[in-house]
Amino acid sequence: MREKETIVTSEGLKQLEKELEVLKSVKRREVAQRIKQAIEFGDISENSEYEDAKNEQAFIEGRIITLEKMLRNARVIENGNLDKNTVALGSTVLIKDLELGDEIKYTIVGSVEADPDSNKISNESPVGKAILGQKKGEVVVVEVPAGKLEYKIVDIL
C-alpha cells in the first residue's frame, strides 16, 4: 500500500522538520528524565507520575513516526511559480460570500498545514475542493452540512 502524499509549502516543511527535531532532541530527553525520577520513587505499580510519563513517551514516539512518514512523503508546493489565473494549491484567494456579502482571504494548503484561524484551508475541505481549479470571477457552490454556500472568486493573489 502506498503511503499518502503530504502536501506542504516550504514554510510548512520547515515547521514539520522543526517539530521533529524538538521531539527527538528535547522532548525525548525530558520524558526519559521523568520516567527515571518516577522509578526512583519506588513502587511503579501505583505511581501515577510513572504512568503519565510512559503515556507521554508513547505519544512522543508515535508523533515522531508520523512526522518521519510525512517528511518522507512530502511534496513541497512553491508559491512563486503559481498561475495567478487559476486557483491551485498554495494560491491565496479572495472570495466573496454571496449570501452575506463578506469577503474572505484564504490560502489553499495541504491538510497538514490547515489552520482556519490563520485563514489557511485544506485542499480537502469543502471550500478548498470547490475553488481548486476555478478562475477569477467564477461562482462556486459549496455543499456543507448546513446546506449550500455560494462564493465568488474575487481575486487570485
Side-chain angles (χ1 to χ4, degrees):
M1 187 174 109
R2 234 173 72 87
E3 292 179 347
K4 184 180 177 194
E5 184 175 61
T6 304
I7 300 168
V8 291
T9 61
S10 54
E11 175 187 314
L13 183 67
K14 286 182 188 125
Q15 288 174 338
L16 292 175
E17 289 169 340
K18 182 179 177 187
E19 181 183 353
L20 181 61
E21 182 58 33
V22 168
L23 287 174
K24 284 181 161 183
S25 64
V26 178
K27 295 293 184 184
R28 260 185 181 161
R29 206 171 310 129
E30 286 175 357
V31 78
Q33 186 61 37
R34 280 184 53 207
I35 291 170
K36 183 179 174 206
Q37 286 174 336
I39 290 171
E40 289 171 359
F41 291 139
D43 182 14
I44 60 172
S45 65
E46 294 182 24
N47 185 331
S48 64
E49 178 61 29
Y50 175 78
E51 283 300 314
D52 287 348
K54 289 299 282 182
N55 287 338
E56 184 180 354
Q57 182 182 46
F59 174 80
I60 288 169
E61 294 305 320
R63 183 67 180 155
I64 287 171
I65 290 168
T66 300
L67 287 170
E68 287 175 338
K69 188 190 304 184
M70 292 167 113
L71 289 168
R72 197 172 44 246
N73 297 300
R75 178 167 67 97
V76 180
I77 51 172
E78 296 298 335
N79 298 8
N81 53 4
L82 289 176
D83 174 8
K84 299 285 187 201
N85 298 315
T86 307
V87 179
L89 267 163
S91 294
T92 298
V93 183
L94 183 64
I95 61 174
K96 182 175 187 170
D97 182 323
L98 293 180
E99 183 181 338
L100 302 175
D102 298 342
E103 287 192 351
I104 313 157
K105 188 189 309 183
Y106 285 125
T107 300
I108 312 299
V109 296
S111 59
V112 172
E113 281 183 88
D115 180 6
D117 292 338
S118 299
N119 288 3
K120 292 181 177 181
I121 60 170
S122 166
N123 62 314
E124 298 173 16
S125 71
V127 174
K129 276 185 194 174
I131 64 176
L132 272 176
Q134 303 299 321
K135 297 191 179 323
K136 181 177 171 179
E138 292 186 351
V139 174
V140 295
V141 177
V142 182
E143 293 275 347
V144 294
K148 293 181 181 181
L149 302 173
E150 283 189 298
Y151 294 106
K152 180 177 184 174
I153 300 170
V154 176
D155 203 359
I156 302 170
L157 310 167

